[in-house]
Amino acid sequence: MAGLTQRRDRDDLAKPPKADYICAMANNPLAEFIDRHARLFVLTGAGCSTNSGIPDYRDSHGNWKRTQPVNFAAFMAEERTRQRYWARSLIGWRRFGQAVPNDAHHALAKLETNGRCEMLLTQNVDRLHQSAGHRQVIDLHGRLDLVRCMGCGAKIQRQEFQRALSEANAAWLAHDAADAPDGDADLEGHDFSSFQVPACEECGAILKPDVVFFGENVPRDIVATAQDHLAQADAMLVVGSSLMVYSGFRFVQAAAQKGIPIAAVNLGRTRADDLLSLKVEDRCEAALAFLL
Ligand SMILES: [Zn+2]
């Protein structure tokens, strides 16, 4: 009996238990949920990036905090909408482009490193999951670090376009404004009609950030790829999203229809509260800290 105990002790020394993780599990339903499921399909939203200094769109009731973001049809149809969008973006990008991942991104990257993440689908356009080292990521709503020509499809770096915007609108650089979501800034009370919006150097067509605007559809192949990964998963984890936008909510609906259990971390209510097996009302980085 003593020998058995000694051998077990030696094994314990050879393989020290992850004490923090085990302690957390004892009274942490989220840790238990993650431990029970080996292949998580993770869906993240704005709440994941707020601690990186990027504001979110909605309050704890899921209502808009500010005026609704730019609409796709208006952006394509109206020069004045494009002038207003890019003037605000010129100011907003200065800080947005400098944002770095926070502990929520790092915790989810660790989950992947530990082999527990089937796929991470993000509604964010800030690329902070990738900056944190996460490899398997689908950018559901595109990426703000690229600009796409709506005529020839050419793509340029947003940083490069920032230089073109700055050179064409030097007087606007003196402005500052509070940050708004998605690299936007609350720049109001200005006459935007003098703002110069550079066109595509290749074909002269309209340039648009390579993100999905409101009123625009997510490309079908991206939805299909994400659905395939969801079908491979044995649970779904929502992090920092109220799921008010249908493009994200439909994956929760699909998981519920397949009988895949769903957990969510979000401050405030979500559109899927009645579909959840577990709800954690906390800041993302705090709720996921046990993974670090
Ligand atoms: Zn072009």
Side-chain angles (χ1 to χ4, degrees):
M1 219 39 191
L4 187 62
T5 305
Q6 277 177 353
R7 196 159 57 241
R8 191 180 291 152
D9 286 346
R10 274 200 304 275
D11 286 344
D12 286 349
L13 283 173
K15 276 187 181 177
K18 295 163 86 180
D20 292 341
Y21 186 67
I22 290 167
C23 286
M25 273 183 58
N27 54 5
N28 185 336
L30 181 61
E32 288 170 13
F33 181 89
I34 288 174
D35 192 60
R36 277 202 308 275
H37 301 102
R39 295 187 313 280
L40 288 166
F41 181 90
V42 181
L43 172 64
T44 70
C48 209
S49 291
T50 48
N51 203 34
S52 292
I54 298 172
D56 56 0
Y57 284 108
R58 295 174 189 273
D59 63 20
S60 61
H61 302 289
N63 297 319
W64 293 107
K65 284 180 177 176
R66 57 187 79 236
T67 54
Q68 193 161 331
V70 67
N71 173 277
F72 176 66
F75 184 90
M76 294 306 294
E78 303 164 358
E79 172 76 10
R80 62 187 172 88
T81 298
R82 293 192 292 276
Q83 288 172 312
R84 181 172 176 274
Y85 175 85
W86 285 116
R88 291 168 61 103
S89 178
L90 171 66
I91 307 303
W93 176 262
R94 293 191 291 213
R95 274 188 292 265
F96 186 93
Q98 305 289 321
V100 294
N102 65 60
D103 280 351
H105 301 103
H106 293 304
L108 292 170
K110 188 96 175 280
L111 198 62
E112 180 183 59
T113 305
N114 292 340
R116 310 302 296 263
C117 196
E118 164 66 27
M119 177 55 71
L120 187 148
L121 176 67
T122 185
Q123 302 173 107
N124 299 339
V125 296
D126 53 33
R127 302 282 290 175
L128 291 182
H129 289 295
Q130 289 89 343
S131 299
H134 214 116
R135 288 192 293 273
Q136 292 280 87
V137 180
I138 296 174
D139 296 308
L140 183 64
H141 294 159
R143 44 191 291 188
L144 205 61
D145 62 338
L146 292 178
V147 175
R148 182 159 57 99
C149 172
M150 299 306 280
C152 69
K155 289 190 182 182
I156 57 173
Q157 294 289 325
R158 176 65 179 80
Q159 196 57 43
E160 190 183 315
F161 192 61
Q162 182 77 358
R163 281 195 287 274
L165 281 173
S166 301
E167 284 167 16
N169 301 280
W172 288 78
L173 292 171
H175 294 297
D176 200 2
D179 292 341
D182 291 350
D184 190 13
D186 280 329
L187 186 67
E188 285 304 327
H190 295 276
D191 175 10
F192 295 105
S193 65
S194 67
F195 193 85
Q196 299 294 312
V197 182
C200 175
E201 287 186 357
E202 305 295 323
C203 75
I206 293 172
L207 293 173
K208 176 182 167 292
D210 197 16
V211 299
V212 177
F213 275 167
F214 283 82
E216 189 177 8
N217 291 325
V218 175
R220 280 186 190 178
D221 58 332
I222 289 181
V223 175
T225 302
Q227 292 283 14
D228 287 347
H229 283 286
L230 177 60
Q232 300 298 315
D234 61 358
M236 180 170 187
L237 174 63
V238 179
V239 181
S241 177
S242 59
L243 299 165
M244 291 299 161
V245 180
Y246 178 71
S247 60
F249 177 65
R250 68 176 142 197
F251 292 97
V252 181
Q253 280 184 315
Q257 281 162 10
K258 292 176 202 295
I260 295 173
I262 307 155
V265 177
N266 194 55
L267 276 176
R269 83 178 187 90
T270 82
R271 187 176 175 181
D273 279 356
D274 58 349
L275 300 176
L276 302 177
S277 307
L278 173 66
K279 171 84 177 286
V280 180
E281 293 226 20
D282 201 351
R283 297 178 64 88
C284 304
E285 63 278 8
L288 299 174
F290 69 91
L291 290 167
L292 291 168

